[in-house]
Amino acid sequence: MATPGSGGAGLMPYTQDLGGTRHSFADLRGVLAAASPHRSGDVLAGVAATSAEQRVAARLVLADLPLTTFLADLVVPYEADEVTRLIIDSHDTQAFAAIAHLTVGGLRDWLLAADGDAISALAPGLTPEMVAGVSKIMRNQDLIAVARKIRVITRFRGTIGLPGRLSVRLQPNHPTDDPAGIAAAILDGLLLGSGDAVIGINPAGDNVSAAHILLQLLDELRQAYAIPTQSCVLTHVTNTLQLIERGAPVDLCFQSIGGTEGTNRGFGIDLALLAEAQAATLALGRGTLGQDVMYFETGQGSALSAGAHHGVDQQTLEARAYAVARAFRPLLVNSVVGFIGPEYLYDGKQILRAALEDHCCGKLLGLPMGLDICYTNHAEADQNDMDGILTLAGVAGVNFIMGVPGADDIMLNYQSTSFHDALYLRDVLGLRPAPEFEAWLLESGITDAAGRLSSSPARLALPALLDG
Amino acid sequence: MADLPARLAALTQARIGLPRAGQTLNTAASLAFDLAHAQARDAVHAVFDTSALQAAFDLIEVHSAAPDRATYLQRPDLGRQLPAKEAARLVPTGADTAIVVGDGLSATAVARHGVPLIRALLPRIGGVLAPVVAAHQARVALGDAIGAALGVDIVVMLIGERPGLSAPDSLGAYITWQPRPGRQDSERNCVSNIRPPHGLDHETAATRIAWLVQQARALRLTGVALKDESSVTARISQAATPA
């Protein structure tokens, strides 16, 4: 029998006896870390299970824990961390009431049986730690089956996340931010049906004037072709605030976020700054169908990398980043799942697991989850691993993926998914672009009525920048 | 069948205008990607062959605390540590400057650029040089422990950078004043993308490294407070951090 701390305050160890061996865990944080599927980042942090049996023992403990434990035994102290305070202070006890009597194991069973609307209604009553906990006792197929039932629909100039749809962020990065090189990559992506989630550039530099030029380029292209999509230069939120002041055409406000106050400090942000940036972006009123203006990126391992992990496993911390995201009604959230390197996610198997966890946990918390399905050259992974993750993410109902020319990002030096990968996924799973963008592709002659690329290649009139 | 006007593909190194078969890449484009990835993977896993360095210079070899490549990739902390028995082979000789060659994430880069870059550096760098050190399974910060053991004021760590798909052989140079374990990345200066003919050539790189070394001696520091006015990107950026 699992024995949760009898006082409920988490001071007593959590124990599990297995064949004469007693597995003990000092606190909920320790249970969650030991229960996590093996990954290099937790080993590096010194929080991973020390044996395969201990890992399952932790899962057995976890399965029998009442969900109310998660409101008492906090993995990062309330006093020390504004993300914890956000999680606790915004917890919706009314929504939670439906499952307040359940254990973590009971929640897993409930999620597998419930329909999507019931799960969505539950979201404000779930904390990230509950969601991370339940994910640790779910197999990959459970993560897919549960996530698939949940639709999170967001709007700016298009509608993202509808059933049967798959959107793509067009990512036309260039190592020197050369406008012509970027415009050529955008054109390539549009002609291959990408760009309905966002056309988003990671700038090579940190220069506000250069970002301003890129925003103008994006806006001119969008207007010239009358594309029902949104654009973004993924620069620091303080830069975006400056760009808004300068009158730059800012559609979406981007920021990388993490699951602890210290991680976010490492990113140069706090919750107040995000609120200020959201308000400034909303004030521009540029959305036509909706006003979801925030774009967040996350990824397991960022807290350890920033020295701010508090002894918590990287997947639980990732789920806590989603608590930050959901406070700001984002249009897009994506986990950049394999970018950080093999010291956090070693191989294709670990990247796959993290992708499915991040997608499912984000959806459970009510977020419009996308995935940057990716790897670096020092990870034990290749394009075949990405094909598997891509296909499973599509089955799981991912809102959007990345579209990088030839899957090779020549600025960030990593491999993601390509425009062609998105075409493959839409084709094999019968998925279509966002409805507004789909109509535009048809009108422009890029796709035919069946949604496939036209047999006679479409020609968009070249913008002046490229019309030499 | 390609969809993009061909001359647009010349505007960027990005893989645009790729030929299709149906909705996906044709055979040639698919295999071209595989080749680039294979070269990057081989660079990551290449064994650091020090024979050319041995033939060219007075050389001492050391190993980090990472025993093999798989451990090295998962435990960057071990790649920064120098075991005591390794440090024992490094003794102060009165030198004030040390050049360390580390495999980092691309022994291919070191094999291509190590010897010619050091040859270009020697007449420019000044100071009293310690023997060249070849460091296996090395991260950038291993140079701090090596420099401390040698008792030098400056360590120049030449190390293989994380291979990109189209750049498997890029070398980086990290210059650290008064190296000792615990130095932060913000306390170093960097010359990256040493990779002729696509990146910096050896002579230009050596000139920039030597300029930084001389400035470090004059200012008695390296890092963000030493602005590189030799027009090279000096500060270490997160994205370019190799090891």
Side-chain angles (χ1 to χ4, degrees):
Chain A
M1 272 298 290
T3 317
S6 55
L11 297 175
M12 298 288 285
Y14 301 82
T15 61
Q16 178 73 39
D17 292 328
L18 290 174
T21 303
R22 167 157 292 195
H23 296 278
S24 296
F25 307 93
D27 47 26
L28 178 58
R29 185 178 63 156
V31 176
L32 288 167
S36 222
H38 172 76
R39 65 202 57 191
S40 49
D42 288 339
V43 176
L44 184 61
V47 302
T50 52
S51 70
E53 183 179 281
Q54 193 204 33
R55 177 167 290 113
V56 178
R59 289 180 190 162
L60 290 164
V61 171
L62 193 54
D64 282 347
L65 279 186
L67 291 173
T68 48
T69 308
F70 289 77
L71 300 173
D73 187 349
L74 305 179
V75 299
V76 180
Y78 183 91
E79 302 73 26
D81 189 281
E82 69 168 358
V83 177
T84 302
R85 293 195 289 277
L86 171 70
I87 291 165
I88 296 301
D89 296 350
S90 64
H91 183 243
D92 183 336
T93 48
Q94 217 168 341
F96 181 62
I99 53 158
H101 61 292
L102 293 178
T103 59
V104 175
L107 176 60
R108 173 184 174 275
D109 296 344
W110 188 94
L111 291 171
L112 288 165
D115 66 29
D117 288 343
I119 298 173
S120 293
L122 186 62
L126 290 170
T127 67
E129 291 85 354
M130 291 175 195
V131 165
V134 76
S135 77
K136 293 177 196 295
I137 57 166
M138 292 165 79
R139 284 171 49 192
N140 286 1
Q141 70 164 257
D142 302 338
L143 296 171
I144 294 168
V146 169
R148 184 180 172 79
K149 294 191 277 191
I150 308 167
R151 303 311 315 186
V152 181
I153 298 159
T154 56
R155 294 178 179 84
F156 191 79
R157 290 195 191 92
T159 310
I160 300 164
L162 290 167
R165 307 278 175 172
L166 173 76
S167 294
V168 184
R169 169 188 162 195
L170 202 170
Q171 183 172 315
N173 297 340
H174 189 278
T176 61
D177 290 336
D178 175 56
I182 286 173
I186 292 173
L187 214 55
D188 193 51
L190 291 172
L191 289 169
L192 292 167
S194 281
D196 50 341
V198 62
I199 303 175
I201 304 167
N202 297 91
D206 194 34
N207 183 296
V208 173
S209 298
H212 196 160
I213 291 168
L214 294 177
L215 279 170
Q216 283 170 331
L217 166 72
L218 287 168
D219 204 51
E220 282 163 21
L221 283 175
R222 179 185 65 78
Q223 297 207 43
Y225 298 134
I227 315 168
T229 191
Q230 38 284 329
S231 63
C232 187
V233 171
L234 285 74
T235 188
H236 193 267
V237 70
T238 51
N239 290 347
T240 300
L241 279 166
Q242 282 189 45
L243 288 160
I244 290 171
E245 259 178 46
R246 288 179 175 210
V250 172
D251 285 348
L252 304 183
C253 176
F254 168 83
Q255 184 55 47
S256 293
I257 56 171
T260 65
E261 182 177 330
T263 311
N264 287 329
R265 198 181 308 124
F267 285 132
I269 59 157
D270 58 22
L271 298 174
L273 182 61
L274 291 177
E276 180 190 345
Q278 183 193 26
T281 313
L282 277 171
L284 300 176
R286 290 172 61 85
T288 51
L289 295 184
Q291 291 294 338
D292 303 321
V293 297
M294 300 302 284
Y295 176 11
F296 294 119
E297 281 190 347
T298 65
Q300 293 189 24
S302 63
L304 175 59
S305 178
H309 64 96
H310 294 269
V312 180
D313 71 90
Q314 66 185 35
Q315 190 254 335
T316 299
L317 291 170
E318 171 72 6
R320 283 170 55 98
Y322 304 154
V324 174
R326 73 172 168 179
F328 299 99
R329 239 184 73 197
L331 181 79
L332 307 163
V333 179
N334 69 272
S335 167
V336 190
V337 73
F339 183 72
I340 194 163
E343 60 266 43
Y344 298 92
L345 295 168
Y346 183 62
D347 57 15
K349 180 177 175 140
Q350 292 183 14
I351 298 172
L352 164 64
R353 175 71 196 183
L356 296 177
E357 288 167 348
D358 293 354
H359 177 253
C360 185
C361 289
K363 287 276 172 76
L364 282 170
L365 292 168
L367 291 179
M369 284 307 291
L371 287 171
D372 188 344
I373 297 158
C374 62
Y375 63 104
T376 58
N377 285 314
H378 58 319
E380 287 294 319
D382 62 19
Q383 224 55 22
N384 290 319
D385 293 298
M386 300 306 110
D387 288 346
I389 301 171
L390 174 71
T391 306
L392 294 177
V395 173
V398 70
N399 281 29
F400 66 101
I401 59 170
M402 305 300 123
V404 175
D408 173 14
D409 190 307
I410 57 170
M411 196 281 282
L412 293 171
N413 272 330
Y414 77 122
Q415 283 92 255
S416 180
T417 50
S418 67
F419 307 137
H420 302 82
D421 290 333
L423 290 171
Y424 149 80
L425 195 60
R426 283 175 179 160
D427 195 36
V428 295
L429 295 179
L431 301 170
R432 294 148 60 196
E436 303 81 5
F437 193 80
E438 183 182 36
W440 177 81
L441 288 172
L442 185 61
E443 283 162 24
S444 308
I446 295 170
T447 54
D448 61 24
R452 295 179 64 87
L453 291 180
S454 300
S455 51
S456 55
R459 293 272 186 245
L460 293 177
L462 289 179
L465 179 66
L466 302 179
D467 197 10
Chain B
M1 159 172 73
D3 310 281
L4 196 72
R7 65 181 181 77
L8 295 193
L11 294 172
T12 173
Q13 295 285 303
R15 293 167 195 256
I16 63 173
L18 297 176
R20 286 191 287 120
Q23 307 228 74
T24 190
L25 299 181
N26 78 356
T27 302
S30 180
L31 290 176
F33 183 101
D34 287 353
L35 177 60
H37 185 237
Q39 289 168 340
R41 294 290 293 158
D42 283 348
V44 169
H45 289 277
V47 174
F48 184 13
D49 178 356
T50 58
S51 54
L53 286 164
Q54 265 169 359
F57 311 109
D58 181 14
L59 194 77
I60 303 173
E61 295 197 41
V62 297
H63 292 255
S64 78
D68 53 50
R69 207 60 176 163
T71 308
Y72 171 83
L73 291 172
Q74 293 179 78
R75 293 289 305 273
D77 52 327
L78 297 181
R80 299 183 192 113
Q81 293 169 22
L82 188 67
K85 68 175 170 54
E86 301 288 320
R89 294 214 297 278
L90 305 170
V91 288
T93 58
D96 57 27
T97 304
I99 297 173
V100 181
V101 187
D103 46 5
L105 285 165
S106 173
T108 301
V110 172
R112 281 191 196 156
H113 310 304
V115 169
L117 179 60
I118 294 173
R119 286 217 165 107
L121 258 178
L122 289 178
R124 293 174 166 92
I125 197 167
V128 181
L129 280 175
V132 174
V133 178
H136 296 260
Q137 311 293 7
R139 302 273 173 178
V140 170
L142 186 66
D144 297 342
I146 293 170
L150 290 170
V152 296
D153 282 334
I154 290 182
V155 67
V156 178
M157 179 66 146
L158 308 176
I159 191 164
E161 297 184 319
R162 193 180 89 186
L165 200 65
S166 309
D169 65 337
S170 187
L171 194 76
Y174 292 79
I175 300 112
T176 308
W177 172 254
Q178 292 194 338
R180 57 170 185 264
R183 284 278 180 222
Q184 302 294 304
D185 284 347
S186 57
E187 297 177 287
R188 313 181 198 288
N189 290 85
C190 173
V191 177
S192 67
N193 195 29
I194 302 168
R195 184 182 167 252
H198 305 285
L200 280 185
D201 64 71
H202 301 135
E203 299 288 315
T204 306
T207 302
R208 291 184 182 180
I209 294 165
W211 187 90
L212 286 165
V213 167
Q214 280 145 23
Q215 289 296 306
R217 288 190 188 115
L219 298 171
R220 304 185 62 78
L221 55 78
T222 46
V224 293
L226 168 49
K227 298 292 178 204
D228 185 355
E229 286 152 21
S230 75
S231 81
V232 61
T233 307
R235 288 184 50 190
I236 300 163
S237 81
Q238 190 85 27
T241 299

